[in-house]
Amino acid sequence: MPFYTVARRRLLRRFIIVLSLPLLLAGCQNNDARTGPTAKSYGNDGHLGMVNSNPLLPGRQPHFDYRAQADFVKQKLQSLNGIESSRITFHGPHLYVTLKPSKDLDDEGVQELGSKAQAMLEYNMPTYRVHVKTAR
C-alpha cells in the first residue's frame, strides 16, 4: 500500500493550511501603534552629548579658546607657592607646562612643586594629557 494516498494528501494539505493561516494573519497586522520604549538620541554637539551633560567641563565648549584655557591654567598655578614664571603650550590633546621655580627652592622642593602642579592640572583639565616640566 503506498504511503501517500489521496486521503492522506488531503489531510496533510488541510493541516498545512490550518498551521500557516495564523502566520499569514500575524504578518498582516497593523503595527502603527508603538507601545515599547523609544530610543533617545544624543544632543547634536559633535561630542555624543557630552557638552549637554557636562556643561562646565573645560575644553568642550566652542566658545572656549586656547587663551581662555591658558588663563585658567595660570590662575590655577598661582595658588602654588614657589613659581617664578610659567610657559603654557597646547598641542592637540596635550598640555605642556614649563615652570621656572623661584631661586629659594632646593631640588626636593622643585620636584614637589612639579608633582603638585601635575596633579592639580590633571584634575582641573581632564580633557588634556598634562606634561609638567620644571626648569631653572
Side-chain angles (χ1 to χ4, degrees), residues 6-51:
V6 174
R8 284 189 177 175
R9 284 184 190 168
R10 286 182 189 157
L11 183 62
L12 183 62
R13 192 177 303 146
R14 287 180 187 161
F15 184 71
I16 290 173
I17 289 172
V18 168
L19 286 180
S20 62
L21 188 61
L23 295 174
L24 290 173
L25 291 176
C28 296
Q29 286 183 353
N30 186 3
N31 289 329
D32 286 340
R34 297 176 189 240
T35 58
T38 58
K40 295 181 181 178
S41 65
Y42 292 109
N44 190 11
D45 58 2
H47 296 285
L48 296 178
M50 290 298 294
V51 172

Side-chain angles (χ1 to χ4, degrees), residues 81-84 99-116 134-136:
N81 294 329
I83 298 176
E84 189 175 309
L99 300 176
K100 183 176 179 187
S102 60
K103 295 178 179 163
D104 59 341
L105 287 178
D106 58 350
D107 290 338
E108 194 173 300
V110 170
Q111 288 179 349
E112 184 179 340
L113 177 68
S115 64
K116 282 183 182 179
T134 55
R136 287 213 179 241

